[in-house]
Amino acid sequence: MASFSRAIIHIDGDAFFASCEQSRNPALAGKPVITGKERGIASSMSYEAKAKGVTRAMRLFEIKQLCPDAVILPSDYETYSILSKRFFDIVRRYTADVEEYSIDECFADLTGLDTVRGCSYETIVQDIQRVLFDELGFTFSIGVGPNKLIAKIGSKWKKPFGITVISKDIIDHHLASIPVGKIWGIGPQTTSLLATRGIFTALEFKQKSKDWITYHLSKPFYELWLEMHGLSILPLNIKEKERYDSIQKVKTFTPPSSDKKFIYAQLSKNIESACIKVRKYNLATKEVYFFLRTQEFHDEWQKIVLPRYTSFPHEIIKACEVPFNRIFDCRAQYRSTGITMTKLLQNPYAQRDMFGEYVQQEKLARLYEGVDAMRKKYGKYTILLGSSLMAKKFSRHLGARGDAPARAHTLFKGETQRKRLNIPMFMGKVK
Ligand SMILES: [Mg+2]
């Protein structure tokens, strides 16, 4: 029976984005699914795609050669964020001490729960894993250890759908087979430094003396060394996060249109909607991608790097004008436009630049605060930029469906296009 002074677990979603897509669309189950279409590279691959040799950051044309039946989808971060929140909420049913480490990973402290529940930590973890699968419809791998470092090693040990318990007495067995550079927190520079000292495995690192470690390396590495010895040093940061890696808005319109002003207004409206969300979470964007999609599902993507961080739609719309004119083809029938805002920065207007930019930015921020307040009161599209007006005029006739990320056109009970509930869709088994 494994004994623990503390029981920390690390839970990692298996192929998370691709799994989210498979979960909400049963037709994709068992198929090689890849997300990241908007960037032209694979950002997440299902295990079926991995089995065919698709790797992260592989280019789409390479994927098509390697795996002609691959289903390549645009990232839908809104859905992934919702499912991510649901994932954390499930883990919080077991303990309040949950650290949302990334969109698809968390740590949790289960210490003492074995006594409370009258069963082993392993049994509790099996239960968590099963509930996650039942309610979200895809798998997670879990590591259990005396601290964060060892728990993280455990969750990677057996994937997908693995559970690995590493008690203090068997840490060395695991460390012996892990290259030191694979340890969380040890980067390439430290790895090569360690190599010059004959340290290649995590176990060799652990076997160095305390004096050697503190003499050659800084404090964070000493803390890792202590955790390799089974102590719990790294605290859990249990503050709940509102986390967005990127924000996306897509809209499909029927019938398709070749009206340039109308298409531009649709894009403009998507930008306004995305900016509302960006401001809601006190973020700003520096990099924006937009696309126009033809009726034949041909996508034209444009990337725009903005001169500064912004959450103001008029600045982004202005920056899109030239690239829009460049890619717009008056002979084409378009069916949707969309925008993805990335490189998001928290608290963007907290710093002032040399030329008083802060003052102007703050004025705009206050202006948009007023706009957002009015929208909250009277509805999202009460106030629109002139460039988006034409989209509003037509919007009553427009269906929201098609090839946008599914969340963009799936309404749940109690939802309208304007009011979205924070409920994820899932096709997993529900008990
Ligand atoms: Mg993962």
Side-chain angles (χ1 to χ4, degrees):
M1 186 74 174
S3 77
F4 288 94
S5 44
R6 293 188 65 193
I8 307 296
I9 62 170
H10 179 256
I11 312 180
D12 184 12
D14 299 323
F16 188 75
F17 296 167
S19 294
C20 290
E21 299 288 355
Q22 288 180 319
S23 166
R24 72 155 161 219
N25 183 358
L28 297 179
K31 289 192 182 158
V33 174
I34 290 123
T35 71
K37 188 178 184 182
E38 76 286 1
R39 297 200 300 155
I41 56 169
S43 67
S44 169
M45 319 60 78
S46 70
Y47 279 83
E48 294 82 2
K50 284 182 192 179
K52 297 209 169 175
V54 179
T55 53
R56 189 171 249 236
M58 191 179 266
R59 294 180 165 278
L60 297 187
F61 70 87
E62 285 177 82
I63 295 171
K64 281 177 193 153
Q65 283 170 358
L66 194 66
C67 182
D69 56 338
V71 181
I72 302 170
L73 301 168
S75 309
D76 174 5
Y77 291 102
E78 187 174 1
T79 292
Y80 309 152
S81 297
I82 291 169
L83 286 166
S84 168
K85 186 174 185 309
R86 183 65 180 270
F87 155 42
F88 301 138
D89 288 347
I90 290 170
V91 182
R92 284 201 180 87
R93 291 180 203 161
Y94 295 81
T95 171
D97 297 339
V98 175
E99 173 179 336
E100 300 176 6
Y101 183 69
S102 72
I103 192 162
D104 72 327
E105 291 175 57
C106 74
F107 291 97
D109 188 346
L110 301 186
T111 308
L113 214 62
D114 55 340
T115 318
V116 175
R117 295 203 167 211
C119 59
S120 70
Y121 289 121
E122 192 164 356
T123 306
I124 299 168
V125 164
Q126 282 166 352
D127 190 52
I128 297 174
Q129 194 189 42
R130 201 195 59 243
V131 173
L132 287 170
F133 180 73
D134 285 349
E135 296 194 21
L136 300 178
F138 54 93
T139 64
F140 290 78
S141 295
I142 309 183
V144 189
N147 56 49
K148 287 170 80 172
L149 181 79
I150 304 300
K152 204 160 183 344
I153 289 171
S155 68
K156 267 205 199 72
W157 198 258
K158 214 170 89 194
K159 257 182 162 292
F161 211 33
I163 289 180
T164 305
V165 181
I166 308 177
S167 58
K168 230 170 175 171
D169 46 312
I170 57 164
I171 291 176
D172 288 6
H173 163 75
H174 287 79
L175 295 185
S177 63
I178 302 175
V180 73
K182 291 272 180 214
I183 292 292
W184 179 42
I186 298 185
Q189 238 179 329
T190 312
T191 307
S192 32
L193 171 88
L194 291 171
T196 65
R197 307 285 167 151
I199 299 169
F200 298 98
T201 70
L203 184 59
E204 286 163 348
F205 180 86
K206 175 184 173 175
Q207 284 166 340
K208 285 286 160 189
S209 69
K210 178 194 163 186
D211 289 345
W212 190 93
I213 296 287
T214 49
Y215 180 79
H216 288 96
L217 298 164
S218 59
K219 193 175 160 219
F221 298 99
Y222 175 52
E223 290 177 346
L224 294 181
W225 182 85
L226 286 171
E227 294 225 325
M228 286 183 188
H229 283 267
L231 280 83
S232 180
I233 305 296
L234 305 169
L236 265 68
N237 178 9
I238 59 170
K239 211 175 137 271
E240 236 177 289
K241 277 182 209 161
E242 202 65 70
R243 177 190 285 276
Y244 284 96
D245 291 332
S246 78
I247 282 174
Q248 188 179 47
K249 284 289 164 193
V250 180
K251 177 104 177 177
T252 302
F253 28 92
T254 43
S257 171
S258 56
D259 181 337
K260 191 175 181 180
K261 276 186 184 154
F262 173 72
I263 312 286
Y264 190 66
Q266 288 290 340
L267 176 64
S268 170
K269 202 169 133 221
N270 281 331
I271 293 170
E272 281 205 75
S273 299
C275 282
I276 290 173
K277 196 156 179 187
V278 165
R279 290 196 300 276
K280 184 173 165 197
Y281 294 107
N282 197 20
L283 301 167
T285 179
K286 186 101 198 287
E287 203 173 284
V288 162
Y289 299 79
F290 75 84
F291 74 82
L292 305 181
R293 180 167 300 156
T294 68
Q295 200 176 3
E296 294 77 32
F297 287 87
H298 172 73
D299 290 356
E300 271 299 340
W301 281 91
Q302 287 288 304
K303 173 184 172 180
I304 290 156
V305 179
L306 298 156
R308 66 177 184 204
Y309 281 96
T310 182
S311 59
F312 310 131
H314 65 277
E315 294 184 350
I316 299 170
I317 291 163
K318 203 172 133 201
C320 289
E321 211 175 313
V322 172
F324 176 87
N325 285 326
R326 191 163 54 226
I327 61 168
F328 184 85
D329 178 356
C330 57
R331 293 158 303 176
Q333 290 281 333
Y334 292 97
R335 57 178 283 123
S336 62
T337 81
I339 182 113
T340 301
M341 300 186 173
T342 64
K343 297 265 159 76
L344 298 174
L345 178 74
Q346 194 87 43
N347 298 320
Y349 308 119
Q351 279 168 353
R352 152 200 336 244
D353 75 6
M354 278 170 67
F355 307 102
E357 275 276 271
Y358 172 67
V359 179
Q360 199 212 338
Q361 293 279 83
E362 203 189 49
K363 266 186 199 158
L364 279 169
R366 243 181 289 141
L367 171 72
Y368 276 101
E369 253 170 49
V371 170
D372 290 340
M374 280 193 70
R375 280 184 170 134
K376 213 171 165 188
K377 200 164 173 190
Y378 299 108
K380 190 170 169 188
Y381 299 116
T382 326
I383 305 176
L384 283 177
L385 288 177
S387 52
S388 310
L389 271 179
M390 202 165 160
K392 190 184 179 185
K393 208 165 116 191
F394 285 83
S395 65
R396 231 173 290 157
H397 311 291
L398 300 171
R401 60 176 186 84
D403 49 297
R407 173 64 180 157
H409 55 77
T410 316
L411 292 182
F412 300 107
K413 218 178 163 185
E415 282 193 335
T416 62
Q417 276 298 338
R418 199 173 283 171
K419 182 165 178 275
R420 291 316 209 46
L421 301 176
N422 208 9
I423 301 170
M425 74 230 68
F426 52 86
M427 303 298 175
K429 288 182 291 166
V430 184
K431 282 186 177 159

